[in-house]
Amino acid sequence: MWLEGFLRTQLRGLLTKESYVALENKIPLLESRFKDIDEFGLYLHIPFCRQICPYCPYNKEIYHPEVAERYTSAVKKEMDIYSELIGNRPVTSFYIGGGTPTTMLYSGLDEILEHVFEAFNMQCDIHLESHPNDLTLDSLNAISSLGVEHLSIGVEALQDHHLKALRRPYSVEQVMTAVGQAAGNGFKCVNADFIFALPGQTCREVAQAGHTLVEMGIDQIAAYPLFRFPYTKLGRSTKETNHNVSNIFKRRKMLGILERIFYDAGFERTSVWAFTKPGIPKYCSVTVPLYVGLGASGGSYLKDVFYLNTFNVQEYIKALENGRMPIALSLDLSENMQMAGWLYWRIYETRFRRSDFQERFGKEFDRVYGRYIKLFSLLGFLKKDDGDEIFLSDNGTYWLHVLQDLFSIEYISQLWGTSKQEPWPEKVVL
Ligand SMILES: C[S@@+](CC[C@H](N)C(=O)[O-])C[C@H]1O[C@@H](n2cnc3c(N)ncnc32)[C@H](O)[C@@H]1O
Ligand code: SF4
């Protein structure tokens, strides 16, 4: 553990030149932060689920229709505040995540979507996360009629005993029916989320599930290894950690099995964990670098600041009912932090252009990160470098992500773990 902490501090110092990073309970002056931004992404968090899965790190609570109704009004109020700030500038990416957004399909989602189109200059499609149990033929039609064109489904596993161990309330047969119906419903992209490296899972089972996934007729597969977040039920009940060496090699082996199956079936890698059919627009969270997060636990990233709403649904609603912003924590970002954040997300996408970096920061990419790119090349982490665009190899993608996890799992655990316990934390030190 101390070695992980040491590595984290050293690497962070190297990349961001910061030895101390803390989010504080300050609301940034938003008017000035919104200036000089041409386009925005929107993220909306729906923090309700019909059951709580033991491995899940996201902000959620059990769905109650009367809370969803008050939540709908609060989200509309929050949108009105941002509508004033953004004006007519285009919103070019919109993602509704959770929790389980489909819990609100008949209790406010339509009202929220109507309001989004009134409040903002929407120039993009709608991406929505869903739970398999919410996907009947009727509800799929209701989802389509809301204008949703990109749908993700939490399949999670394709063996009944693993679904049971994950406490998922459906069988393989039921989830396959739901996915099959979704795939035939005319969406531009249907994505299935799948989790591997489950306790006791064999390589054979992973291969079997991989073949089933490609036979389902979906456009994209997001295959994540099981992450153990210390503040979840799973994290508390297990001694294994994400950085356990045998875990890291087991994940690489299983991901290699899935890569082969997905490539053979014609899928292409579109992010660390996602594989998409060619010619299909990739299903992913907000696709533009700067975005506003709405809802309880919504996070916003503007050029030089990151801020986070309260995670507590009642406090979120109360704040907006009283005309206050629901922002709980914020962090001013130095230029080095912004550049490191930029690189972090581009590595996640497995490819990036030097010219995009130059355009955003007015600096030559190689002057800032050239020596790391040389090192990546020597380690076999690059597939192609055409002088502008850099493509990571499968090995590079995996091992760089192991390094990224050293930060993300720990930071998410600190930030989300604390925010879940305290609605308005004084400070969270990362
Ligand atoms: C918000 S949920 C998806 C929608 C819906 N709530 C559901 O569960 O079907 C997002 C996805 O994140 C993934 N996920 C959640 N916790 C995870 C963990 N500990 N490790 C790996 N993936 C995880 C799962 O694949 C899950 O489907
Ligand atoms: S995995 Fe999905 S259904 Fe389960 S608790 Fe997380 S968000 Fe809710």
Side-chain angles (χ1 to χ4, degrees):
M1 285 302 255
W2 72 266
L3 182 65
E4 277 172 34
F6 175 76
L7 269 175
R8 206 165 24 243
T9 319
Q10 295 303 310
L11 271 170
R12 186 176 69 191
L14 206 66
L15 290 170
T16 67
K17 317 276 185 273
E18 303 285 338
S19 56
Y20 175 83
V21 176
L23 286 99
E24 292 181 3
N25 65 343
K26 286 187 304 202
I27 299 192
L29 253 186
L30 292 182
E31 285 79 3
S32 58
R33 309 289 187 148
F34 274 76
K35 275 193 194 145
D36 307 329
I37 300 179
D38 300 331
E39 59 173 322
F40 292 86
L42 265 192
Y43 171 80
L44 167 64
H45 192 79
I46 305 292
F48 306 119
C49 294
R50 294 186 211 280
Q51 97 273 340
I52 304 297
C53 307
Y55 52 90
C56 175
Y58 299 108
N59 184 36
K60 74 273 160 185
E61 60 180 46
I62 293 290
Y63 168 75
H64 294 290
E66 58 292 352
V67 182
E69 224 168 90
R70 288 180 61 215
Y71 191 72
T72 301
S73 306
V75 169
K76 283 164 65 180
K77 287 196 169 79
E78 195 184 14
M79 277 186 217
D80 291 340
I81 298 172
Y82 284 111
S83 171
E84 290 281 310
L85 289 162
I86 294 178
N88 200 38
R89 284 174 283 178
V91 170
T92 50
S93 173
F94 180 34
Y95 189 90
I96 310 173
T100 306
T102 40
T103 50
M104 286 184 66
L105 188 56
Y106 301 108
S107 55
L109 200 55
D110 54 342
E111 222 181 288
I112 289 179
L113 287 180
E114 209 173 290
H115 205 76
V116 168
F117 283 87
E118 281 163 16
F120 301 105
N121 175 11
M122 299 298 287
Q123 301 284 333
C124 55
D125 291 345
I126 307 170
H127 289 66
L128 182 88
E129 283 182 351
S130 71
H131 188 286
N133 283 18
D134 291 336
L135 301 181
T136 60
L137 276 177
D138 280 349
S139 60
L140 281 163
N141 288 334
I143 291 170
S144 294
S145 63
L146 289 177
V148 173
E149 280 156 328
H150 307 255
L151 185 74
S152 176
I153 309 166
V155 170
E156 315 297 60
L158 285 163
Q159 278 100 17
D160 282 323
H161 62 284
H162 288 307
L163 285 173
K164 203 165 158 203
L166 291 173
R167 305 276 184 273
R168 298 292 286 187
Y170 48 81
S171 65
V172 172
E173 198 184 328
Q174 286 166 329
V175 74
M176 285 183 65
T177 306
V179 174
Q181 284 170 349
N185 215 61
F187 294 104
K188 284 188 189 164
C189 181
V190 173
N191 169 78
D193 281 346
F194 170 73
I195 310 183
F196 64 94
L198 300 171
Q201 193 176 35
T202 62
C203 289
R204 243 178 111 124
E205 285 177 326
V206 171
Q208 187 202 21
H211 287 296
T212 311
L213 282 163
V214 300
E215 284 156 15
M216 280 178 161
I218 47 180
D219 309 294
Q220 181 173 298
I221 301 155
Y224 308 97
L226 179 68
F227 294 115
R228 291 166 165 82
F229 292 86
Y231 65 95
T232 59
K233 201 167 173 195
L234 173 85
R236 285 192 297 270
S237 68
T238 173
K239 284 205 179 66
E240 279 186 60
T241 69
N242 300 290
H243 311 301
N244 175 316
V245 176
S246 72
N247 235 335
I248 291 175
F249 282 97
K250 179 168 124 191
R251 288 176 183 181
R252 178 68 198 110
K253 189 169 173 195
M254 290 182 167
L255 185 61
I257 292 170
L258 293 170
E259 278 164 1
R260 269 196 304 279
I261 295 169
F262 299 158
Y263 292 152
D264 284 350
F267 286 75
E268 289 170 354
R269 174 170 245 135
T270 46
S271 81
V272 172
W273 308 120
F275 301 83
T276 314
K277 279 189 183 158
I280 302 282
K282 132 174 126 163
Y283 180 95
C284 66
S285 194
V286 176
T287 51
V288 290
L290 306 177
Y291 57 86
V292 166
L294 304 165
S297 75
S300 302
Y301 186 87
L302 306 173
K303 275 184 185 159
D304 53 0
V305 66
F306 171 77
Y307 60 87
L308 194 62
N309 282 350
T310 180
F311 274 47
N312 187 295
V313 174
Q314 291 301 333
E315 290 292 320
Y316 169 83
I317 294 172
K318 237 194 293 172
L320 284 149
E321 279 176 351
N322 293 329
R324 283 186 286 114
M325 284 301 272
I327 300 171
L329 290 164
S330 70
L331 173 67
D332 286 317
L333 302 168
S334 67
E335 191 184 42
N336 281 322
M337 285 159 92
Q338 293 173 44
M339 291 191 298
W342 185 94
L343 188 64
Y344 181 96
W345 284 112
R346 300 297 88 74
I347 286 178
Y348 195 85
E349 287 165 356
T350 76
R351 55 197 282 180
F352 51 91
R353 286 182 193 281
R354 291 174 169 91
S355 50
D356 287 346
F357 181 89
Q358 171 114 27
E359 194 182 320
R360 163 83 197 268
F361 297 105
K363 287 191 168 145
E364 212 181 297
F365 178 83
D366 283 340
R367 273 183 182 270
V368 186
Y369 293 123
R371 59 201 156 128
Y372 300 111
I373 298 301
K374 273 201 190 113
L375 180 67
F376 294 173
S377 174
L378 283 173
L379 291 169
F381 285 2
L382 303 189
K383 187 163 72 183
K384 198 170 120 192
D385 180 353
D386 68 9
D388 181 23
E389 195 164 13
I390 294 170
F391 299 77
L392 300 184
S393 64
D394 284 340
N395 260 339
T397 299
Y398 182 74
W399 290 109
L400 285 173
H401 196 70
V402 168
L403 211 62
Q404 288 186 330
D405 270 358
L406 213 55
F407 295 94
S408 37
I409 306 275
E410 174 65 19
Y411 288 176
I412 288 174
S413 299
Q414 288 283 359
L415 190 56
W416 292 7
T418 311
S419 300
K420 195 69 203 136
Q421 277 177 352
E422 299 168 43
W424 307 103
E426 271 296 303
K427 185 187 265 203
V428 177
V429 180
L430 296 181

